[in-house]
Amino acid sequence: MSRPATGISLAATFFGGVAIACVLWVSVAWLLISDAPRVWSARGQIDTTAADREGHELLKRASERVQEYSLQHGSLPQVLAGDESVPGCGFTLDELEGSYYVLANVVIRREEDSWVEIVAVPVTSAYPVLWMSFGATGYTDAGITDVEFFPLRAEQSQSHNGQ
Amino acid sequence: MPLIKSGQHDAPLGEALVLGGVARDRLRVRYSKDRRIPWLLDSTSNHTCEEFTGRYYATLNLVSYEGPGQAAVYVVTDTDDYQTLRIRFRYEDGDSHWEHMGPFGGVRR
């Protein structure tokens, strides 16, 4: 009676081992072909406080440089990091890149009110697009507004006027 | 209507590539007419350009200067766990380089 029991036990152990091996192989294969590891790691690196601080610091530094350039030259720079052909305000392209945000290398002149805008682009969807606008004359009414994604001009104007 | 069929593997990424490519091509056409660098994708300064907005991604309505004859366009998303994409290109020949901006930067695929 003990032999059949041993045989069944061995078979159960064998098939159990095969099943576990299959599960392990499928799991490894899934990890290799899916985006899950990237997503998990990216989530682990999300730090909204640090990102927010960095974005605002980048914008503040850039706005100060734009103001300095304007006072010295009497005109606005076209970009933040320029060269001989396009006037910039002293940045290099590398200086525009942070860990969470990248400053777009352009100084936008708004047609409707002659204000100037600079934009910080988030590196992932975990952070919002940041922008800073300031007046071209005197620069006395500067402000930073975090906007929801895909902002509407009307909303921007309201928040802008409310400051 | 999404540019890439929903449910298709990595549809957001496919859409981003289309949006960035369209923006690049449009900028190159405009540049070819008068050799002037455009700073916006369209004439208004809204941060995102409706014409270049897909289901998952949207192209920021600004042109980042990368050097003489070179520019970059950013394609951003609010889709969870997806990264901003940047396409750097040359106006003259259209030579392009895609970058994923997130923690795992570089060309992912």
Side-chain angles (χ1 to χ4, degrees):
Chain A
M1 292 295 288
S2 63
R3 284 201 174 186
T6 304
I8 291 172
S9 174
L10 281 174
T13 304
F14 172 76
F15 286 115
V18 169
I20 291 171
C22 287
V23 169
L24 286 174
W25 275 112
V26 169
S27 300
V28 169
W30 179 75
L31 285 173
L32 287 176
I33 64 173
S34 76
D35 283 341
R38 179 187 63 82
V39 169
W40 292 335
S41 300
R43 280 178 175 162
Q45 295 183 36
I46 290 174
D47 183 345
T48 52
T49 305
D52 187 63
R53 190 184 316 122
E54 181 188 84
H56 286 84
E57 284 176 359
L58 283 169
L59 287 172
K60 184 169 182 291
R61 197 184 316 149
S63 69
E64 289 170 354
R65 292 273 192 95
V66 171
Q67 293 173 30
E68 289 171 10
Y69 180 97
S70 179
L71 289 173
Q72 289 174 1
H73 297 83
S75 62
L76 287 168
Q78 288 186 304
V79 295
L80 299 174
D83 51 32
E84 299 81 15
S85 56
V86 177
C89 47
F91 283 99
T92 63
L93 285 176
D94 286 341
E95 288 175 324
L96 304 181
E97 309 241 346
S99 301
Y100 308 97
Y101 278 95
V102 175
L103 286 175
N105 189 23
V106 59
V107 177
I108 303 168
R109 298 157 183 80
R110 293 203 315 223
E111 291 179 2
E112 62 266 33
D113 56 9
S114 300
W115 277 43
V116 177
E117 285 185 354
I118 49 179
V119 177
V121 185
V123 299
T124 78
S125 58
Y127 319 118
V129 175
L130 299 177
W131 60 276
M132 174 185 256
S133 59
F134 40 93
T137 308
Y139 301 102
T140 56
D141 196 13
I144 298 175
T145 303
D146 296 5
V147 292
E148 294 297 323
F149 225 78
F150 306 147
L152 300 173
R153 170 55 58 194
E155 293 171 359
Q156 290 174 7
S157 297
Q158 286 169 8
S159 64
H160 167 78
N161 294 331
Q163 290 173 358
Chain B
M1 188 176 73
L3 290 171
I4 304 294
K5 188 178 178 184
S6 178
Q8 191 171 331
H9 180 64
D10 228 341
L13 179 61
E15 183 183 270
L17 298 177
V18 171
L19 288 170
V22 169
R24 173 202 56 202
D25 294 344
R26 179 163 163 173
L27 289 167
R28 288 190 64 220
V29 169
R30 197 191 303 175
Y31 178 80
S32 71
K33 292 177 181 174
D34 55 8
R35 301 289 168 183
R36 294 175 66 180
I37 300 172
W39 299 113
L40 298 171
L41 283 174
D42 72 358
S43 57
T44 67
S45 59
N46 290 332
H47 290 136
T48 55
C49 191
E50 274 190 30
E51 189 179 342
F52 298 101
T53 300
R55 176 172 177 177
Y56 310 100
Y57 272 89
T59 310
L60 284 183
N61 185 22
L62 49 85
V63 183
S64 188
Y65 181 72
E66 296 289 311
Q70 299 175 63
V73 169
Y74 292 91
V75 191
V76 297
T77 180
D78 60 357
T79 304
D80 282 348
D81 302 320
Y82 271 84
Q83 305 172 18
T84 298
L85 272 76
R86 172 169 60 190
I87 179 172
R88 285 176 155 145
F89 63 93
R90 286 204 299 253
Y91 282 106
E92 288 291 340
D93 58 11
D95 184 38
S96 306
H97 174 68
W98 280 98
E99 285 178 278
H100 292 256
M101 306 289 295
F104 295 85
V107 178
R108 201 175 65 181
R109 288 193 178 88

